[in-house]
Amino acid sequence: MIHKDWENRETIKQIKCVHANAKKFIVDRKLTPGKVYDVKNETDEFYFIIDNSDRMAGFRKDYFQVV
């Protein structure tokens, strides 16, 4: 039930968005290139962050670089 308190969890690390060009999804409305985001959870392929809509979302790691 980790999803119920993700937004209030401690930040693991910070990442910077390097691009918002997605082939299948509309990512440019949720991410801003150059902006730094706090990582709340991480898997092998995804970072879970609070995006521009102030909601928790998972994004592929290739959109980011570690600060």
Side-chain angles (χ1 to χ4, degrees), residues 17-64:
C17 179
V18 291
H19 72 85
N21 304 324
K23 294 180 182 177
K24 291 185 176 183
F25 304 103
I26 302 172
V27 177
D28 59 344
R29 295 181 190 167
K30 302 295 181 182
L31 296 176
T32 303
K35 184 175 178 181
V36 176
Y37 295 94
D38 294 334
V39 177
K40 300 297 183 176
N41 195 16
E42 179 180 3
T43 65
D44 291 339
E45 294 183 43
F46 295 94
Y47 287 125
F48 292 89
I49 64 169
I50 297 176
D51 63 13
N52 293 346
S53 64
D54 291 329
R55 307 263 336 238
M56 182 65 67
F59 295 96
R60 294 184 63 87
K61 289 185 173 184
D62 60 340
Y63 297 117
F64 304 97

